[in-house]
Amino acid sequence: MTRKVILRRLNVKRIIIRRMENLLYCVNSLWSHLFSCCVGKSSVRYKQLLPSTIPRSLSPPPATYPSRGTSGASCGCEHHNDSSDLVALKISLLGDCQIGKTSFLAKYTGREKSKELQEVMGLTHMDKTLCVKGARIAYTIWEVEGNDNQKQLPVACKDSVAILFMFDLTSRCTLNSVIRWYQEARKWNQSAIPVLVGTKFDDFVQLPIDLQWTIANQARTYAKALNATLFFSSSTYNINVNKIFKFITAKIFNLPWSVERNLTIGEPIIDF
């Protein structure tokens, strides 16, 4: 199979995925209720509230926390400077270096790689605000850089509602490292929703099919061990990037929306 054929198939799949995501987003936007959350010690519980009863946002990370850059996406809501309708949620990205975490984060927040994205003390955080029926959900997404910055895990993981454990689909050693990242992260956060994310799917599909099968099955085994949902993604082609965060939002707020399971080798796997 030539690269041109592979890329053409990826483009078709990307168009289908985007249309499905847009449809699901429209359905979710019809919900007239808003949600606020409170994190329990042993589990994450959320309560559905009417728009008039939305609490003030959770306290954002202190300004003294190090970051490589922020991206405050405008949600287009009226009175967007009023924080009374803002729900702030924290998500963490963990995994080995050079697996595409920064590209993944930049793709979701709409921020391109630039000189502003320079490492500061091994931590990055970027923001993205979503608007739903006049209320705002503000995600603060934290990324831990590299393999030698696990000392930053307490800052990155504390109060996170979800943790993405990420690996490079073309590098099995980064998949093996996921267990270590998971064990360390759970020392600081017992309640966050775990999500296992394989990156660089566009490179992965060019591997021999038997190797794809081996890696996919190992990833599925790890996901079950971590009680995590598994997504294969590509930042280059925007495959499953937005869908992962929509899945997290649905889980956090107990929305009646679910992704379709896909276990077909050669396609972006979703397993739960």
Side-chain angles (χ1 to χ4, degrees):
M1 185 181 297
T2 65
R3 181 180 179 84
K4 183 178 295 185
V5 173
I6 293 173
L7 293 178
R8 185 162 58 245
R9 291 186 177 181
L10 285 173
N11 286 333
V12 172
K13 292 175 184 177
R14 180 177 59 175
I15 293 172
I16 294 173
I17 290 170
R18 281 183 173 177
R19 289 179 178 176
M20 290 299 298
E21 288 178 343
N22 289 336
L23 177 61
L24 290 171
Y25 179 80
C26 291
V27 172
N28 286 338
S29 296
L30 294 176
W31 282 78
S32 60
H33 289 138
L34 300 173
F35 303 88
S36 68
C37 67
C38 60
V39 180
K41 183 177 181 181
S42 59
S43 63
V44 182
R45 303 184 188 90
Y46 295 89
K47 183 178 180 181
Q48 185 174 6
L49 299 176
L50 295 175
S52 60
T53 62
I54 293 181
R56 290 188 175 274
S57 66
L58 304 176
S59 299
T64 55
Y65 282 4
S67 67
R68 253 186 336 189
T70 58
S71 174
S74 173
C75 66
C77 296
E78 294 182 1
H79 312 299
H80 61 269
N81 291 325
D82 182 6
S83 63
S84 62
D85 62 353
L86 182 68
V87 178
L89 302 174
K90 181 179 176 183
I91 297 175
S92 302
L93 273 57
L94 306 180
D96 288 352
C97 61
Q98 303 300 319
I99 63 171
K101 296 193 302 295
T102 301
S103 296
F104 180 90
L105 182 55
K107 176 63 69 174
Y108 180 64
T109 59
R111 190 181 183 89
E112 298 297 331
K113 294 180 180 179
S114 67
K115 293 181 180 180
E116 297 179 40
L117 297 180
Q118 295 177 359
E119 182 178 348
V120 179
M121 296 178 64
L123 276 178
T124 300
H125 78 263
M126 294 186 186
D127 303 324
K128 179 162 183 175
T129 302
L130 307 177
C131 185
V132 181
K133 288 292 183 177
R136 291 174 295 154
I137 300 174
Y139 282 127
T140 300
I141 308 168
W142 291 74
E143 173 197 348
V144 175
E145 275 295 317
N147 304 337
D148 300 323
N149 288 312
Q150 292 200 11
K151 61 183 179 181
Q152 303 290 2
L153 283 177
V155 175
C157 295
K158 184 180 179 182
D159 298 327
S160 292
V161 295
I163 300 178
L164 275 57
F165 298 96
M166 306 182 71
F167 67 97
D168 182 346
L169 283 164
T170 65
S171 174
R172 295 181 67 179
C173 65
T174 65
L175 174 57
N176 293 331
S177 295
V178 163
I179 299 298
R180 172 174 52 85
W181 284 103
Y182 179 87
Q183 291 172 338
E184 292 298 319
R186 283 311 194 197
K187 293 179 181 179
W188 307 104
N189 190 318
Q190 295 286 327
S191 60
I193 298 168
V195 183
L196 184 59
V197 179
T199 62
K200 304 182 183 181
F201 175 75
D202 48 314
D203 293 329
F204 173 75
V205 293
Q206 300 181 50
L207 299 177
I209 193 67
D210 57 337
L211 183 55
Q212 290 185 46
W213 186 90
T214 300
I215 295 173
N217 276 275
Q218 183 179 352
R220 290 183 60 203
T221 299
Y222 280 20
K224 290 180 181 178
L226 305 182
N227 194 27
T229 300
L230 172 66
F231 288 88
F232 284 10
S233 69
S234 168
S235 298
T236 303
Y237 293 95
N238 199 20
I239 295 174
N240 282 343
V241 175
N242 293 326
K243 184 175 289 186
I244 289 169
F245 288 93
K246 289 184 178 182
F247 167 78
I248 292 172
T249 303
K251 290 283 288 185
I252 290 173
F253 297 110
N254 198 27
L255 292 173
W257 178 84
S258 62
V259 297
E260 293 184 5
R261 198 179 189 202
N262 185 1
L263 302 180
T264 305
I265 302 299
E267 296 182 7
I269 284 178
I270 301 176
D271 190 21
F272 49 89

